[in-house]
């Protein structure tokens, strides 16, 4: 089947997803907009024409044992209002970043994550991003920074025990405070 998006949830709370594959869609593999109190396990979104997963105003949703690989844009793009989410994730070989927050986001925990071979950075904070923690991530073989905190409005981002290897520009750019 040919879909614009693999699946879209809008204005949904108290949901659970387990073992879903959303592959080769002409837009995103998964879009969550104004969603909260969810539980996502084993979501696999490879080879989509935009992002593997696009998040907008998503709160308190853990993503466990998920992957978004070989997408035309980002593996995961948090567009705005992504708060209190947890990512245990693989986001590799995407044409932009593995995981990218492009606008206001808060208190996300990215842990035990594998981010390799993305054309842009591994993990990116583009605009206001506050109180995030990255712990135990493997960030390798990106064409720019392993982790790019690209804006002075990103505050209190904690990075614990990362493993960096072969990131072309460098391991970490931290323009935040």
């Amino acid at each position: 089947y040919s879909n614009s998006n693999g699946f879209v949830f809008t204005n949904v709370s108290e949901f659970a997803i387990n073992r879903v594959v959303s592959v080769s869609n002409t837009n995103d593999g998964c879009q969550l907009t104004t969603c909260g109190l969810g539980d996502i396990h084993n979501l696999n979104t490879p080879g989509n024409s935009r992002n593997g997963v696009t998040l907008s105003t998503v709160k308190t949703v853990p993503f466990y044992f998920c992957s978004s690989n070989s997408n035309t844009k980002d593996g995961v793009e948090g567009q705005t209002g992504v708060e209190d989410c947890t990512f245990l994730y693989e986001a590799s070989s995407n044409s932009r970043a593995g995981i990218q927050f492009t606008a206001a986001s808060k208190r996300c925990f990215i842990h035990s994550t594998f981010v390799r071979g993305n054309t842009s950075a591994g993990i990116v904070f583009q605009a206001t991003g506050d109180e995030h923690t990255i712990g135990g991530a493997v960030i390798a073989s990106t064409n720019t920074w392993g982790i790019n905190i690209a804006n002075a409005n990103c505050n209190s981002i904690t990075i614990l025990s990362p493993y960096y290897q072969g990131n072309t520009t460098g391991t970490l750019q931290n323009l935040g405070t």
Side-chain angles (χ1 to χ4, degrees), residues 27 39 133 139:
N27 201 5
D39 185 21
T133 301
I139 305 164

Side-chain angles (χ1 to χ4, degrees), residues 66-161:
C66 298
S67 66
S68 293
N69 300 323
S70 303
N71 294 289
T72 302
K73 291 191 176 181
D74 299 321
V76 176
E77 181 181 1
Q79 292 181 335
T80 188
V82 180
E83 298 182 13
D84 302 314
C85 293
T86 301
F87 298 89
L88 192 155
Y89 224 92
E90 180 187 6
S92 298
S93 301
N94 296 290
S95 295
R96 286 195 326 195
I99 299 173
Q100 177 165 218
F101 296 94
T102 58
S105 59
K106 293 181 182 178
R107 297 176 306 276
C108 291
F109 183 37
I110 301 167
H111 68 96
S112 305
T113 293
F114 297 92
V115 183
R116 296 180 279 233
N118 294 291
T119 302
S120 179
I123 300 171
V124 181
F125 298 94
Q126 286 289 350
T128 306
D130 296 326
E131 303 170 27
H132 295 292
T133 301
I134 301 169
V138 174
I139 305 164
S141 303
T142 63
N143 286 337
T144 63
W145 296 100
I147 298 173
N148 185 4
I149 303 169
N151 192 303
N153 291 323
C154 295
N155 301 304
S156 302
I157 296 177
T158 303
I159 301 169
L160 306 168
S161 303

Side-chain angles (χ1 to χ4, degrees), residues 56 60 106 140 175:
S56 181
T60 317
K106 293 181 182 178
L175 301 179

Side-chain angles (χ1 to χ4, degrees), residues 6-71:
F7 66 93
V8 176
F9 284 0
T10 302
N11 298 325
V12 176
S13 71
E14 301 175 47
F15 63 95
I17 296 171
N18 192 5
R19 295 190 182 133
V20 173
V21 177
S22 181
V23 61
S24 299
N25 296 287
T26 58
N27 201 5
D28 297 326
C30 164
Q31 290 180 352
L32 302 180
T33 303
T34 314
C35 295
L37 296 174
D39 185 21
I40 299 176
H41 288 245
N42 304 306
L43 173 63
N44 184 4
T45 58
N48 295 288
S49 294
R50 277 189 23 97
N51 301 313
V53 174
T54 299
L55 307 173
S56 181
T57 314
V58 174
K59 297 180 181 179
T60 317
V61 177
F63 293 82
Y64 289 123
F65 311 108
C66 298
S67 66
S68 293
N69 300 323
S70 303
N71 294 289

